[in-house]
């Protein structure tokens, strides 16, 4: 029985990533842009119904909810070749269309007003599922809608569906460059509190690392949003591959997430992918010989990781799951793991098993790739704390000057004071100290009181 997953796309970033994701899924399952199964795709042994369901006329509709507070991006989706793919009843656009103005508090407050309409869509999709496993939220944490409305949805979903998994694909802002959004640190911190407390698993995607990969690995000099979104859709599709083309292991979300997150608080996952290819760049179409060892070794290299972190000497992996796609023999995997262990390429926590888990999955027969083997690494690494620390430092710099706080005081959540900021800061600081504590071999020993 398939374990269905409902995808929620919130805000500009979430909907742009979602568009690329659904386009890729359609190609991988042999579904046309109108949702009709192609003639050549009738004999597949894939599970389309994890992410799609069939309408009365047998065309496929994504299990997705599209939400935005301003209409531009969703209107572009509706007018695109894939405009007829989505169920129009599952698209929510705010009536006034003014957006959240890159203000977390505005997005959160509007969430209270519009939640009933969105909840009705979510309940309808949940009731339409035979065995709903959970929700995927695609959003960015730096702006207003994806960050604020996304936070509100996370809070309400965890209350309403406490036994369902809540997984997010969260795009973190580029902290290395100056941003168009001056209040980005405020928005990020407030969203991080909800990601820490309400989500079961957060796939961290960092704009700085994505831009660097597009420039360095795909050799595109002036990367734009569509290039980075294509990378994100590759990660989304590869991380769900074992659910859609199931094998004997890791064929549902819980069995993938459980080994990655031994400690519930530390549920922020970094990703890496190799080899990178892009249809948009001729220079990225270089074909080389790929072996399992080559792919697994490259996945551990910093340049292929989609998060910019600053590891220290004590930083280590809590867990690693490699999803290897392609025509691979299990003996190849075993030999590769032995070689990696001999060379001590990956440093693991001192209090847990020092092993890389591997899930083998088939490639889509309908998507032609030049490489025999490709791999995605999902890793829980303690250096993710440095990303949160950067957000805290930027927040402290703004807060010390009490800069731009009037924008937030106008909203009901901050009407009685700025306690929400202080509480969010405490939650993120606690998260950082938890990750640092994981590096100690005494982590599991009870502390004396």
């Amino acid at each position: 029985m398939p374990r269905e997953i409902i995808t929620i796309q919130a805000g500009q970033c979430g909907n742009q990533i979602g568009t690329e994701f659904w386009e890729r899924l359609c190609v991988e399952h042999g579904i046309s842009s109108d949702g009709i199964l192609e003639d050549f795709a009738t004999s597949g042994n894939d599970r389309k119904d994890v992410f799609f369901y069939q309408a009365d006329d047998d065309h496929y509709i994504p299990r997705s909810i599209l939400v935005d507070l301003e209409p531009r991006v969703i209107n572009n989706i509706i007018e695109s070749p894939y405009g007829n793919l989505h169920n129009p009843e599952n698209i929510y656009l705010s009536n006034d269309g003014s957006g959240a103005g890159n203000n977390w508090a505005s997005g959160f407050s509007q969430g209270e007003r519009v939640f009933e309409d969105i909840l009705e869509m979510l309940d309808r999709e949940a009731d339409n599922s035979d065995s709903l496993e959970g929700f995927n939220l695609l959003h960015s944490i730096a702006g207003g809608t994806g960050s604020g409305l996304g936070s509100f949805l996370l809070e309400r979903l965890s209350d309403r569906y406490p036994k369902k998994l809540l997984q997010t694909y969260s795009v973190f802002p580029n902290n290395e460059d100056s941003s168009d959004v001056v209040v980005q640190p405020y928005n990020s911190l407030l969203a991080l509190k909800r990601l820490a407390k309400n989500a079961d698993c957060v796939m961290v995607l960092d704009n700085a690392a994505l831009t660097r990969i597009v420039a360095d690995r795909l050799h595109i000099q002036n990367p734009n949003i569509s290039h980075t979104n294509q990378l994100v859709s590759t990660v989304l599709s590869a991380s769900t591959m074992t659910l859609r083309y199931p094998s004997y292991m890791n064929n549902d979300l819980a069995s993938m997430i459980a080994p990655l997150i031994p400690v519930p608080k530390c549920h922020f996952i970094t990703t890496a992918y190799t080899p990178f290819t892009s249809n948009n760049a001729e220079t990225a179409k270089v074909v080389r010989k790929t072996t399992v060892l080559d792919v697994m070794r490259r996945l551990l290299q910093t340049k292929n990781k989609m998060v910019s972190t600053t590891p220290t000497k004590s930083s280590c992996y809590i867990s690693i799951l490699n999803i290897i796609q392609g025509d691979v023999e299990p003996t190849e995997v075993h030999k590769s793991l032995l070689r990696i262990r001999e060379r001590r390429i990956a440093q693991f926590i001192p209090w847990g098993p020092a092993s890389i888990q591997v899930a083998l999955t088939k490639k889509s027969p309908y998507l032609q790739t030049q490489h025999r083997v490709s791999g995605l690494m999902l890793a829980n690494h303690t250096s993710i704390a440095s990303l949160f620390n950067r957000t805290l430092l930027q927040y402290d710099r703004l807060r010390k000057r009490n800069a731009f706080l009037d924008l937030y005081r106008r909203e009901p959540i901050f009407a009685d004071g700025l306690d929400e900021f202080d509480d969010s800061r405490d939650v993120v600081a606690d998260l950082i100290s938890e990750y640092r504590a994981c590096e100690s071999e005494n982590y599991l020993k009870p502390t004396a009181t």
Side-chain angles (χ1 to χ4, degrees):
M1 183 189 283
R3 304 295 311 274
E4 297 93 350
I5 294 169
I6 295 171
T7 304
I8 305 163
Q9 303 168 195
Q12 177 182 337
C13 177
N15 280 296
Q16 286 173 334
I17 293 167
T19 303
E20 297 274 352
F21 173 57
W22 291 113
E23 284 182 24
R24 188 170 175 107
L25 250 58
C26 284
V27 173
E28 288 187 1
H29 290 289
I31 296 170
S32 74
S33 59
D34 291 330
I36 295 160
L37 199 62
E38 304 279 12
D39 297 337
F40 56 77
T42 49
S43 60
N45 56 351
D46 53 347
R47 277 192 195 158
K48 297 179 187 67
D49 31 9
V50 174
F51 285 95
F52 294 89
Y53 62 90
Q54 281 182 284
D56 290 345
D57 63 354
D58 282 349
H59 81 278
Y60 284 89
I61 298 173
R63 299 180 190 277
S64 63
I65 310 286
L66 283 62
V67 181
D68 207 350
L69 298 176
E70 57 106 13
R72 186 175 52 88
V73 176
I74 288 184
N75 284 344
N76 288 344
I77 294 171
I78 293 167
E79 289 160 16
S80 73
Y82 285 82
N84 294 329
L85 186 67
H86 296 277
N87 178 356
E89 289 185 340
N90 286 3
I91 296 174
Y92 181 83
L93 279 171
S94 174
N95 291 332
D96 59 2
S98 58
N102 288 322
N103 180 341
W104 181 93
S106 172
F108 193 86
S109 301
Q110 289 189 58
E112 301 209 25
R113 292 197 290 276
V114 306
F115 185 65
E116 288 302 318
D117 295 331
I118 298 171
L119 187 66
E120 195 249 323
M121 295 176 190
L122 287 164
D123 286 346
R124 180 164 25 82
E125 283 298 317
D127 294 342
N128 192 23
S129 308
D130 292 330
S131 176
L132 178 68
E133 182 160 37
F135 300 90
N136 271 351
L137 173 66
L138 315 182
H139 70 137
S140 144
I141 70 162
T145 307
S147 177
L149 180 59
S151 295
F152 187 84
L153 289 174
L154 275 175
E155 283 188 2
R156 290 304 168 96
L157 280 171
S158 62
D159 285 345
R160 193 170 182 84
Y161 295 96
K163 291 196 165 79
K164 303 301 178 193
L165 287 171
L166 270 181
Q167 179 173 323
T168 76
Y169 288 83
S170 305
V171 179
F172 280 59
N174 185 346
N175 288 334
E176 293 166 11
D177 296 342
S178 59
S179 165
D180 302 340
V181 184
V182 287
V183 290
Q184 179 180 289
Y186 289 157
N187 296 339
S188 300
L189 187 86
L190 292 160
L192 262 174
K193 174 189 166 183
R194 274 77 191 175
L195 291 175
K197 296 188 89 165
N198 300 110
D200 295 304
C201 176
V202 178
M203 299 287 180
V204 179
L205 299 153
D206 170 22
N207 261 336
L210 293 171
T211 308
R212 172 180 50 74
I213 287 168
V214 172
D216 296 353
R217 317 297 296 155
L218 301 183
H219 310 293
I220 297 168
Q221 294 314 308
N222 299 310
N224 59 33
I225 287 175
S226 74
H227 293 125
T228 53
N229 285 351
Q230 200 177 18
L231 284 190
V232 176
S233 73
T234 305
V235 170
L236 272 158
S237 119
S239 65
T240 57
M241 202 69 181
T242 57
L243 315 177
R244 298 179 289 113
Y245 280 86
S247 59
Y248 60 93
M249 277 176 74
N250 301 102
N251 50 19
D252 65 1
L253 199 54
S255 65
M256 273 177 63
I257 290 176
L260 277 172
I261 304 170
V263 185
K265 207 181 256 187
C266 301
H267 58 249
F268 290 80
I269 306 298
T270 59
T271 56
Y273 187 83
T274 190
F276 288 109
T277 56
S278 171
N279 300 329
N280 302 351
E282 288 300 319
T283 46
K285 293 182 180 172
V286 180
V287 182
R288 59 166 192 270
K289 183 176 168 59
T290 51
T291 63
V292 177
L293 177 61
D294 175 58
V295 164
M296 287 172 78
R297 202 166 38 207
R298 284 171 189 273
L299 287 174
L300 292 165
Q301 293 171 353
T302 308
K303 61 188 177 186
N304 291 321
K305 291 182 183 170
M306 301 206 182
V307 180
S308 300
T309 56
T310 315
T312 61
K313 281 187 179 173
S314 56
S315 295
C316 50
Y317 286 100
I318 297 172
S319 55
I320 297 178
L321 171 66
N322 282 346
I323 297 173
I324 306 291
Q325 287 183 40
D327 186 18
V328 176
E329 288 293 322
T331 50
E332 276 185 88
V333 175
H334 187 63
K335 284 177 186 169
S336 305
L337 287 170
L338 282 175
R339 293 283 291 278
I340 286 170
R341 183 174 284 185
E342 281 165 13
R343 294 180 184 181
R344 297 189 177 175
I345 300 172
Q347 185 78 32
F348 277 89
I349 44 171
W351 48 269
S355 62
I356 298 174
Q357 297 174 70
V358 179
L360 299 180
T361 178
K362 304 183 234 359
K363 279 189 173 179
S364 163
Y366 317 121
L367 184 66
Q368 297 307 311
T369 55
Q370 303 103 322
H371 301 286
R372 187 177 76 89
V373 184
S374 61
L376 171 77
M377 178 175 76
L378 302 175
N380 201 341
H381 196 273
T382 59
S383 68
I384 194 80
S386 65
L387 184 70
F388 307 144
N389 204 40
R390 278 206 299 268
T391 304
L392 269 194
L393 291 172
Q394 290 187 326
Y395 163 78
D396 287 343
R397 221 174 289 155
L398 278 182
R399 186 68 201 275
K400 195 165 68 175
R401 305 272 182 222
N402 284 330
F404 307 111
L405 288 175
D406 283 347
L407 296 168
Y408 293 82
R409 283 198 179 99
R410 290 176 202 157
E411 301 297 338
I413 190 169
F414 292 104
D416 300 329
L418 300 172
D419 295 347
E420 185 59 41
F421 275 123
D422 302 329
D423 189 33
S424 298
R425 195 195 184 287
D426 291 344
V427 168
V428 176
D430 186 42
L431 186 63
I432 293 168
S433 57
E434 187 74 24
Y435 268 107
R436 294 204 171 130
C438 282
E439 296 168 359
S440 159
E441 56 189 74
N442 300 323
Y443 179 69
L444 294 181
K445 291 181 181 171
T447 52
T449 52

